[in-house]
Amino acid sequence: MIPNCIRSIGSQTSKRNYGSWSKAVSFLLNKNNYATEASFETKPFRLHKLDSGPSTQVSVTKEDALKYYKQLHTIRRIETAAGNLYKEKIIRGFCHLYSGQEACAVGMTAVLRPQDSVITAYRVHGWTYLMGVSPLGVLAELTGRQSGNARGKGGSMHMYAKNFYGGNGIVGAQVPLGVGVAFAAKYQNTGGVCLALYGDGAANQGQIFEAYNIAKLWDIPCIFVCENNGYGMGTSADRAAASTDYYTRGDYVPGIWVDGMDVLAVREATRYAIDHCTSGKGPIVLETATYRYSGHSMSDPGTSYRTREEIQEVRQTRDPITSFKERILNSNLVAADELKKLEAEVRKEVDDAVKIAKTDKEIPMSELTTDIYSAPLEKEVRNVTPFNPLPHGRLGPAINL
Amino acid sequence: MLTSAVRGIARRSFSTSKWAAAQQMTVRDALNSALDEEMERDERVFLLGEEVAMYDGAYKVSRGLWKKYGDKRVIDTPITEIGFAGVAVGAAMAGLRPICEFMTFNFSMQAIDHVINSAAKTFYMSAGMINIPMVFRGPNGAAAGVAAQHSQCYGAWYSHCPGLKVVSPYNSEDAKGLLKAAIRDPDPVVVLENELLYGVQYPMSDEALSKDFVLPIGKAKIERTGNHVTIVAHSMAVQNALEGANELAGQGIEAEVINLRSLRPLDINTIIQSVTKTHHLITVEQGWPHCGIGAEVAARIMESEAFYHLDAPVVRLASVDCPLPYTKSLEAASLPQTPDVVNTVKKILGVAQ
């Protein structure tokens, strides 16, 4: 599916509208005549209650470019694999794919510092990988096996890592939680911020506005990130929101609109937002304009409320991976061979992970009643009948003991 | 009525307290000292909720704490339950020990998603990685003359959910010991206080006055021993149970009164042992009967060995199965009263009324 897509885009290069990008500036050529750094012009940011925004002139080193490309490509591969596993009925229940939105997560994590945290909703596979979990940890969680990030107990929507608080399945609920995580950073004076992510659908939830109010009132270093992919399930943004300018919806909270298909623009906007929060100015809203290629979840073909042409158009003109690839190739920052080699490595890693995720064992039955409480007060848990109660086990590290 | 009840109870002995020489303390002050001592003990503990700081608490439970601990640790929130409850849970995820006060538990319905889905389930879903060390507390149950929306017991609601621990203190010792235990516990604990008991004084033993006094969550207390019938109750209904037992004692019936203290875990072993001895069981609560705490106790007894020791069916005393009315006479009639306890005991014992 992806190779097809890339081929079709490759054949239509001329149709692409990269007009807003200035010609790449390459400098410090190395011995192979490749640049070590290149700069580009992003689409203009839109600002709300801010005098000045991030610079639209962004640069990237070769090392970072390769890193971002690898991350973008890995997420796309993981999601493609997830989609296939779902179709094979190996992944059950929910499965919300991030394909098309990769630049948001990669751009944001590019500037996260060790003291910063992230919390997001249920479209969580890519984020989990970026926050330090291996592709196997993600894919085996999806298949519900023991190598999964949450040992297969959480599934598609519930994955966690250090400084990464999920993976939350109730639309909008992660936003006040994220303000709480940021509150803890302020309380403990860590200097950290928390990115609290939600979609354009959740942006209309009442608790988002309660969270804006509390965060601004208490100057909490929270970055509210609205990943606007255009649709809350099958309802387009303008059919659900009286105002689709999500970066302004915090009212008294300043906001920035950023092209969420441009990894470097997202990176700059996030860097700006972290500076804003850590300089004591309180929270900020970041709207990343993006697009999801798949349906809302795997049970949604994603074509009844939008046209196939619309999806094709985005794939061909705004794809976050091919556009970034084009840029770093055209600016002589990387060679096609290098990317090809990277792609092969990623492909192998994800393919290997898929194999293990398919054949890996499920956790033993004893874990049915493991980790209900971090400090269990009863030795046993009621079974289906009262006749054979199960022992309450403890396994996980319980980071807040 | 309350004062006379306290006098009545005080005449009978508490099983574990040296009541005779004990200092009296209101439930409010007992809760206040629990908060104060635990905040002093652990810098990560903080209190947030509506009116908890400058106003000293809507029911004055947090009186003086804002002056002592300041804006950082005693925090007035906007009247936005889902927002501040969510913030509290998030803070717990990231290592703090929040005490989230609901002005009353009736308002916790606005935030129940965070109590259940965010606080109770995350530890399990994360395979034991992210535990949520926090407390949700506030007054619960029927108050006086505040009508249906402000008069509900959430004991059954919250104790239904695995991942939560739920306590329902009755007197001052319960309140202090259980709240301190809840604050120290690394899992989310719901502390259901009773508004009408806040101002009531109960004896506090020397032990209970100590900063080290902590009651175990999950253990019931036998308030009064007896051989003829077991009366299980929690929160304010313990008062009815004790008053009823008092009256029955005058008629030669010795009731064993069990104060549950904890609704999850439920100390079923203490009840089983008692029923094995008394062969009779009634439950008393101010919540609704349907799927209530009494229903759970009855079912657990039915599933245990104690069933074979019963000489009569278990009977539940609960609120009438309707929303609580404002009308004074109807309000009283909707809640189990002491005569209901006495009459029910006599009925299941086959004693003439």
Side-chain angles (χ1 to χ4, degrees):
Chain A
M1 185 176 144
I2 282 173
N4 271 339
C5 159
I6 292 171
R7 270 200 298 278
S8 71
I9 288 165
S11 67
Q12 299 180 45
T13 311
S14 59
K15 285 188 191 167
R16 263 178 249 151
N17 175 18
Y18 293 156
S20 62
W21 294 356
S22 70
K23 198 181 168 199
V25 184
S26 310
F27 44 93
L28 295 172
L29 298 183
N30 66 15
K31 61 183 177 180
N32 298 322
N33 281 336
Y34 282 110
T36 55
E37 191 164 347
S39 28
F40 309 93
E41 181 82 14
T42 71
K43 275 191 195 167
F45 300 96
R46 293 179 212 157
L47 305 180
H48 171 66
K49 301 231 161 134
L50 290 168
D51 293 333
S52 60
S55 168
T56 53
Q57 193 72 30
V58 295
S59 67
V60 63
T61 64
K62 174 173 179 146
E63 191 189 355
D64 282 346
L66 286 170
K67 182 174 137 197
Y68 303 156
Y69 186 77
K70 183 182 177 188
Q71 290 175 332
L72 291 163
H73 196 71
T74 305
I75 297 174
R76 182 70 60 90
R77 275 263 160 230
I78 288 173
E79 296 298 53
T80 305
N84 292 336
L85 286 165
Y86 192 92
K87 285 171 199 147
E88 292 172 52
K89 299 196 190 309
I90 296 167
I91 294 175
R92 304 160 62 236
F94 298 110
C95 188
H96 308 89
L97 304 184
Y98 203 57
S99 303
Q101 302 182 216
E102 297 91 343
C104 301
V106 173
M108 284 181 244
T109 46
V111 286
L112 285 189
R113 305 156 305 156
Q115 65 269 42
D116 296 328
S117 302
V118 177
I119 188 165
T120 186
Y122 42 79
R123 205 172 295 283
V124 73
H125 315 158
W127 271 103
T128 307
Y129 157 71
L130 291 174
M131 293 304 285
V133 175
S134 67
L136 174 62
V138 174
L139 287 162
E141 189 59 37
L142 289 168
T143 58
R145 311 302 166 97
Q146 65 179 6
S147 305
N149 163 253
R151 302 185 59 74
K153 287 169 89 171
S156 166
M157 305 194 287
H158 306 296
M159 305 185 189
Y160 310 84
K162 185 176 183 331
N163 293 346
F164 181 55
Y165 298 94
N168 291 272
I170 308 296
V171 172
Q174 73 282 4
V175 180
L177 295 175
V179 174
V181 172
F183 172 94
K186 185 178 180 188
Y187 189 100
Q188 294 173 311
N189 216 8
T190 66
V193 304
C194 182
L195 270 60
L197 290 105
Y198 54 99
D200 49 284
N204 304 311
Q205 269 264 351
Q207 61 184 312
I208 308 285
F209 298 91
E210 296 193 13
Y212 287 155
N213 182 48
I214 288 172
K216 184 65 183 172
L217 201 60
W218 301 348
D219 274 340
I220 293 177
C222 183
I223 303 175
F224 296 95
V225 183
C226 177
E227 289 184 278
N228 175 7
N229 66 19
Y231 298 89
M233 279 193 76
T235 304
S236 62
D238 57 0
R239 290 177 60 227
S243 162
T244 55
D245 290 332
Y246 297 102
Y247 68 107
T248 69
R249 299 271 303 267
D251 186 4
Y252 38 78
V253 182
I256 308 177
W257 178 97
V258 55
D259 175 10
M261 304 303 256
D262 178 350
V263 64
L264 298 178
V266 173
R267 187 191 67 180
E268 289 321 301
T270 309
R271 197 197 310 272
Y272 178 95
I274 291 174
D275 286 347
H276 179 93
C277 282
T278 53
S279 64
K281 292 179 191 156
I284 190 166
V285 176
L286 202 62
E287 175 187 351
T288 61
T290 183
Y291 197 80
R292 82 168 135 72
Y293 292 153
S294 309
H296 164 74
S297 67
M298 289 303 294
S299 56
D300 165 27
T303 50
S304 66
Y305 49 88
R306 59 183 184 179
T307 61
R308 288 179 197 280
E309 289 71 34
E310 177 186 301
I311 305 166
Q312 265 322 96
E313 169 79 15
V314 179
R315 276 188 184 278
Q316 288 170 6
T317 61
R318 290 169 57 206
D319 184 81
I321 303 180
T322 46
S323 61
F324 184 65
K325 183 179 184 177
E326 192 83 5
R327 275 177 158 188
I328 57 178
L329 281 174
N330 288 351
S331 59
N332 267 349
L333 199 56
V334 297
D337 288 352
E338 286 176 291
L339 296 185
K340 209 166 260 178
K341 186 165 161 267
L342 239 167
E343 285 165 16
E345 284 167 14
V346 168
R347 178 182 208 135
K348 183 171 182 328
E349 187 182 14
V350 174
D351 285 353
D352 289 350
V354 167
K355 273 180 209 146
I356 301 171
K358 276 174 154 177
T359 54
D360 195 21
K361 281 185 192 155
E362 291 189 358
I363 49 174
M365 206 47 77
S366 61
E367 289 192 44
L368 172 61
T369 49
T370 291
D371 293 330
I372 303 169
Y373 295 97
S374 66
L377 300 172
E378 290 178 301
K379 290 197 177 90
E380 292 179 328
V381 177
R382 193 186 195 272
N383 206 328
V384 173
T385 68
F387 309 125
N388 49 349
L390 302 165
H392 187 299
R394 274 287 290 112
L395 200 64
I399 58 172
N400 296 310
L401 281 179
Chain B
M1 179 186 146
L2 287 180
T3 340
S4 70
V6 172
R7 274 200 300 273
I9 294 157
R11 275 198 300 273
R12 304 212 58 84
S13 70
F14 282 81
S15 59
T16 60
S17 310
K18 290 181 213 157
W19 61 272
Q23 188 179 323
Q24 298 281 313
M25 187 184 271
T26 62
V27 170
R28 173 182 291 114
D29 288 345
L31 291 165
N32 182 272
S33 62
L35 293 171
D36 189 8
E37 288 168 15
E38 293 308 302
M39 288 184 73
E40 202 164 76
R41 182 176 173 267
D42 187 345
E43 182 73 26
R44 297 169 301 176
V45 176
F46 69 99
L47 175 68
L48 84 170
E50 294 153 9
E51 309 293 356
V52 298
M54 295 178 82
Y55 194 87
D56 269 341
Y59 295 94
K60 308 298 174 199
V61 169
S62 56
R63 178 181 284 150
L65 296 179
W66 174 64
K67 283 210 176 90
K68 180 168 177 184
Y69 295 101
D71 290 334
K72 183 182 179 187
R73 298 182 66 196
V74 183
I75 306 164
D76 280 330
T77 64
I79 309 170
T80 56
E81 279 79 8
I82 191 165
F84 73 72
V87 168
V89 178
M93 286 176 163
L96 298 184
R97 304 227 156 202
I99 303 165
C100 174
E101 175 174 314
F102 292 118
M103 191 183 286
T104 83
F105 263 95
N106 301 288
F107 314 145
S108 76
M109 290 292 95
Q110 297 259 359
I112 194 169
D113 176 58
H114 283 299
V115 183
I116 304 293
N117 278 314
S118 304
K121 297 179 185 172
T122 297
F123 189 60
Y124 188 82
M125 292 195 304
S126 66
M129 183 173 171
I130 301 170
N131 58 311
I132 315 284
M134 71 171 296
V135 172
F136 298 99
R137 54 156 289 273
N140 170 63
V146 292
Q149 288 182 340
H150 287 71
S151 303
Q152 187 175 336
C153 174
Y154 287 90
W157 289 64
Y158 288 116
S159 62
H160 186 60
C161 178
L164 292 179
K165 295 168 181 171
V166 183
V167 296
S168 180
Y170 157 55
N171 61 15
S172 302
E173 285 191 356
D174 287 3
K176 183 178 176 190
L178 292 171
L179 180 54
K180 282 167 72 79
I183 295 168
R184 294 183 190 189
D185 197 282
D187 293 308
V189 185
V190 175
V191 181
L192 302 168
E193 300 155 8
N194 190 294
E195 181 192 328
L196 295 178
L197 296 178
Y198 277 152
V200 182
Q201 290 198 326
Y202 292 96
M204 288 283 274
S205 64
D206 290 345
E207 190 196 355
L209 290 168
S210 152
K211 285 187 176 184
D212 302 321
F213 178 67
V214 177
L215 287 172
I217 297 173
K219 295 284 176 225
K221 178 187 173 195
I222 299 171
E223 294 280 355
R224 181 191 193 283
T225 56
N227 291 319
H228 298 133
V229 61
T230 302
I231 307 175
V232 171
H234 74 94
S235 190
M236 194 153 166
V238 174
Q239 193 119 315
N240 301 116
L242 287 168
E243 286 171 6
N246 235 2
E247 198 176 320
L248 289 163
Q251 302 169 39
I253 299 169
E254 292 300 329
E256 184 143 296
V257 175
I258 296 177
N259 167 9
L260 283 176
R261 280 184 168 168
S262 170
L263 304 180
R264 180 185 267 270
L266 188 68
D267 185 3
I268 198 68
N269 289 336
T270 294
I271 305 172
I272 289 172
Q273 277 170 25
S274 179
V275 169
T276 306
K277 178 176 70 174
T278 65
H279 312 296
H280 296 86
L281 172 64
I282 68 167
T283 66
V284 195
E285 67 190 305
Q286 292 200 333
W288 288 311
H290 190 101
C291 304
I293 300 301
E296 177 64 19
V297 169
R300 298 277 286 273
I301 287 299
M302 194 119 94
E303 289 175 353
S304 78
E305 272 297 304
F307 174 74
Y308 301 104
H309 293 272
L310 284 173
D311 289 343
V314 178
V315 175
R316 294 170 293 156
L317 276 70
S319 150
V320 175
D321 204 10
C322 70
L324 198 88
Y326 170 71
T327 325
K328 199 173 181 186
S329 52
L330 270 58
E331 181 190 90
S334 71
L335 296 169
Q337 308 292 343
T338 301
D340 298 317
V341 174
V342 173
N343 293 338
T344 307
V345 167
K346 285 181 171 175
K347 191 176 172 74
I348 66 163
L349 288 176
V351 177
Q353 310 248 338

